[in-house]
Amino acid sequence: MRANPLRLAESRILVEQLRLVLGNVGSTVVPICLLAVLVLFSLSSDSNATALRTWCAAAMLANLYAFYYARKHLPDAILARQPHRIVRALIAQRAISGLVWGALIWITFDTASLAGRILAIAVVAGMAGGAVSTQSAVLPAFIAFVFPAVSIVALKLWLMGDPAYHALGLVCLLYLVSLFDQARSSARAARTTIELRFENTGLMEKLRQETLVAENARRQAEQGNVAKSKFLAAASHDLRQPIHAQGLFLDVLSRTELTPHQRELVACVGSASQASAEMLNTLLDFSRIEAGVIEPQVRAFRLQPLLNKIEREFEPQADARGLTYRSRENTLVVLSDPALVELILRNLVSNAINYTRCGGLLVACRKHGDHAVLEVWDTGIGIEQTQQREVFREFHQLGNPERDRHKGLGLGLAIADGLARTLGHDLSLASTLHRGSVFRLALPIASASLTVEPVSMEHGKPQMLGARALVIDDDETVRTAMIHLLRDWGCECEAAESIEEALALAARHAPDLVISDYRLREKRTGLEAIAALRELLGSDLPALLITGDTAPDRLREALASGIPLLHKPITPSHLYRALVTILPP
């Protein structure tokens, strides 16, 4: 519904309307004064000289007072405090001014020539017409000026007694109606513009506030994410230490003389330790992706041996849950990093087993153009369309409000997605709720000219190393476990908890290799320890870094050193292979 322009608007809009009208006064004060003087000289005669001079003075005085009043009341503070009082004063001023300009006809019409009369009528009509653009924003003030000015002209013309003047008087009334209609339209347009400006200002302020809220939320989220990463890194490091030592002790214990019952208990403890290690390694995989320290080693390899290995590992888990695990043979050779592809496939298969209650899963690969599409199908709970992007976020799990550890940490798909992006491979999902899902990983097919390197799946029994080893770790339990394990591998072993103690031991008996924890006491690192020992014994001293840290900055620093890096908890077989790699033949 349109607002009535004759009704005064709310205060803040009225203030803007007054600012428009009062602001226009300054641009008209000089032209109106000059016009009054021009009329005085053009229409003055002996019979009207005194009256016309009085009129000119009154017109100029009203004009100058209007200018003074406008300058005085234009400041925002005054307008905001007294808008309605200013409107009433403005109406009175405009009414007086309208009477003054209308009086021009009564003063000059009886004595002026035809040209003079035309000039007088034109002056009043021009003043009324000009008021549409300068005064119509406050419509009552415009009417207070135009109505007396034009009505007086019409009345004078009607009293002339000539039919032609009667017609001209009626024309003046029609002109008055036309001016009112134009002024009303102009007033509505001005009011609408002001209202829209306030709305836009309000929207901009609201947007600014919402932007501030969003920015604060983003900062809090970033701070929360940093705090989460620090907490995970610290918790992961502190948990890895005892689990790492536990795994080493269990390996040493398993090679001692045990009764069948004791061997069974050791196997149970080993399974529990392995489950804890797998969860920590999942956190590590995610941290490595976040840190950007994964460097793919791309080469051509056959997919089928990898699928066979995954099937051998996960089929017992599927059987235990009453699920059927099937895979299809293929002869495809792909170009990628086999270790990272294996990790992606492990997470996809593990996810399928965890979220399938009955039926089973199928792992297959088919050729599609120049890509091999590796597919993991399941008959599990399925994923709603709205959740199909969310499942790739870290720590996001479906149907696990109780946080059952057997369903993992909610990082498997996030890791698979991150590794796929690192490799530049497309990982997609299609799913139907309550019917199952299929994850597809597209791998480029290797050209026939590339040499296929076999993927090593098994490792032989450890042989005696026969080397002198120096272990540096500030955790006494880890040092003890490492000493027992290395001695079982035929090593002479000494251990130190600080860089200074390690240098003292090395000065007495030079080691063949050094194994150092990354984080040492007093904020020192294994990099410093290895550098100090190499300065003492030579830069070719074989060295190995071990860390329980998952903080992205530390992972990047350790990787940049070029020293082989293992992550706690380390299985004895991984440690053994690393030692064989760094020791000279």
Side-chain angles (χ1 to χ4, degrees), residues 2 10 74 101 162 191 198 228 276 294 308 337 358 377-379 401 442 456 465 469 494 498 526 536 547:
R2 288 185 176 182
E10 60 176 287
L74 262 178
W101 284 94
D162 188 326
R191 182 167 177 171
F198 277 120
K228 177 201 74 176
S276 301
I294 295 178
N308 292 340
D337 184 320
C358 61
W377 296 78
D378 67 63
T379 58
S456 176
L465 296 176
E494 292 183 306
S498 67
L536 175 67
T547 184

Side-chain angles (χ1 to χ4, degrees), residues 288-510:
R288 291 171 66 207
I289 292 170
E290 279 196 325
V293 299
I294 295 178
E295 295 183 357
Q297 306 297 317
V298 176
R299 57 188 177 87
F301 67 96
R302 297 186 186 279
L303 267 178
Q304 193 54 47
L306 176 59
L307 301 188
N308 292 340
K309 178 185 179 183
I310 296 294
E311 183 175 3
R312 287 194 301 272
E313 180 177 339
F314 284 96
E315 190 172 28
Q317 295 182 30
D319 290 342
R321 296 172 66 95
L323 304 175
T324 302
Y325 187 115
R326 293 188 298 124
S327 62
R328 290 180 181 168
E329 297 284 330
N330 71 84
T331 58
L332 294 172
V333 177
V334 297
L335 189 64
S336 188
D337 184 320
L340 299 185
V341 172
E342 178 183 346
L343 187 53
I344 293 172
L345 186 57
R346 280 177 179 278
N347 282 295
L348 296 181
V349 171
S350 176
N351 180 76
I353 293 175
N354 287 338
Y355 289 95
T356 302
R357 299 190 183 97
C358 61
L361 64 150
L362 168 68
V363 180
C365 189
R366 59 186 177 84
K367 186 176 180 181
H368 184 77
D370 57 354
H371 280 76
V373 181
L374 189 57
E375 299 177 334
V376 179
W377 296 78
D378 67 63
T379 58
I381 62 175
I383 304 169
E384 291 184 34
Q385 185 69 34
T386 57
Q387 291 287 318
Q388 290 185 14
R389 187 61 254 176
E390 296 298 305
V391 296
F392 290 102
R393 287 195 301 108
E394 62 270 22
F395 304 106
H396 185 87
Q397 288 184 303
L398 299 176
N400 189 21
E402 70 280 7
R403 303 302 295 179
D404 180 2
R405 71 173 182 83
H406 293 100
K407 292 184 179 180
L409 299 172
L411 286 174
L413 294 182
I415 290 170
D417 185 55
L419 291 174
R421 285 187 279 108
T422 299
L423 290 166
H425 302 336
D426 180 52
L427 177 62
S428 61
L429 162 65
S431 184
T432 303
L433 193 61
H434 306 308
R435 297 186 62 182
S437 307
V438 54
F439 290 86
R440 295 184 173 94
L441 178 67
L443 305 170
I445 295 176
S447 64
S449 60
L450 292 176
T451 302
V452 179
E453 298 182 24
V455 179
S456 176
M457 298 295 177
E458 304 294 340
H459 302 280
K461 182 180 178 180
Q463 301 296 317
M464 295 296 101
L465 296 176
R468 176 180 288 278
L470 175 58
V471 175
I472 308 172
D473 199 302
D474 56 9
D475 188 298
E476 184 179 358
T477 306
V478 174
R479 292 198 305 272
T480 303
M482 288 288 287
I483 288 172
H484 281 292
L485 185 64
L486 290 169
R487 284 175 179 171
D488 271 7
W489 291 341
C491 291
E492 294 181 31
C493 188
E494 292 183 306
E497 65 174 344
S498 67
I499 296 177
E500 289 71 24
E501 186 179 352
L503 289 171
L505 291 173
R508 289 199 300 269
H509 303 288

Side-chain angles (χ1 to χ4, degrees), residues 147 224 325 528 538:
F147 185 79
Y325 187 115
E528 298 175 50

Side-chain angles (χ1 to χ4, degrees), residues 25 28 91 138 150 193 283 289 321 380 412 452 470 474 507 515 542 557:
V25 172
T28 61
I91 291 173
V138 180
V150 178
T193 301
L283 288 173
I289 292 170
R321 296 172 66 95
V452 179
L470 175 58
D474 56 9
I515 304 171
E557 182 182 0

Side-chain angles (χ1 to χ4, degrees), residues 519-534:
R519 185 197 291 186
L520 301 175
R521 289 178 183 169
E522 299 177 352
K523 296 184 178 180
R524 304 180 77 179
T525 69
L527 293 176
E528 298 175 50
I530 292 169
L533 287 168
R534 283 180 170 175

Side-chain angles (χ1 to χ4, degrees), residues 101-259:
W101 284 94
L104 175 64
I105 301 298
W106 290 81
I107 295 171
T108 61
F109 222 69
D110 292 332
T111 58
S113 62
L114 179 61
R117 292 177 176 179
I118 293 173
L119 175 61
I121 293 173
V123 167
V124 176
M127 288 294 296
V132 172
S133 61
T134 59
Q135 301 178 34
S136 63
V138 180
L139 196 58
F142 168 82
I143 294 173
F145 174 78
V146 171
F147 185 79
V150 178
S151 296
I152 290 172
V153 174
L155 179 61
K156 179 63 177 177
L157 292 172
W158 185 262
L159 294 176
M160 291 296 290
D162 188 326
Y165 284 110
H166 291 170
L168 191 56
L170 292 175
V171 169
C172 285
L173 294 178
L174 291 174
Y175 181 58
L176 179 62
V177 172
S178 174
L179 289 177
F180 176 75
D181 187 60
Q182 292 180 40
R184 183 174 59 181
S185 298
S186 179
R188 282 175 176 162
R191 182 167 177 171
T192 300
T193 301
I194 293 169
E195 289 173 344
L196 286 174
R197 190 173 72 192
F198 277 120
E199 288 178 11
N200 289 339
T201 302
L203 288 173
M204 290 179 65
E205 179 61 23
K206 184 178 179 181
L207 179 62
R208 190 182 70 83
Q209 293 295 335
E210 290 178 350
T211 301
L212 287 176
V213 170
E215 181 65 20
N216 288 334
R218 183 188 65 79
R219 279 199 297 268
Q220 290 175 2
E222 288 179 349
Q223 291 170 358
N225 192 50
V226 170
K228 177 201 74 176
S229 297
K230 288 182 178 178
F231 170 77
L232 287 176
S236 175
H237 178 271
D238 293 343
L239 287 170
R240 285 173 186 275
Q241 293 288 88
I243 293 175
H244 171 61
Q246 182 186 61
L248 299 182
F249 278 127
L250 284 171
D251 187 78
V252 173
L253 181 60
S254 67
R255 291 199 293 273
T256 62
E257 295 293 331
L258 299 173
T259 67

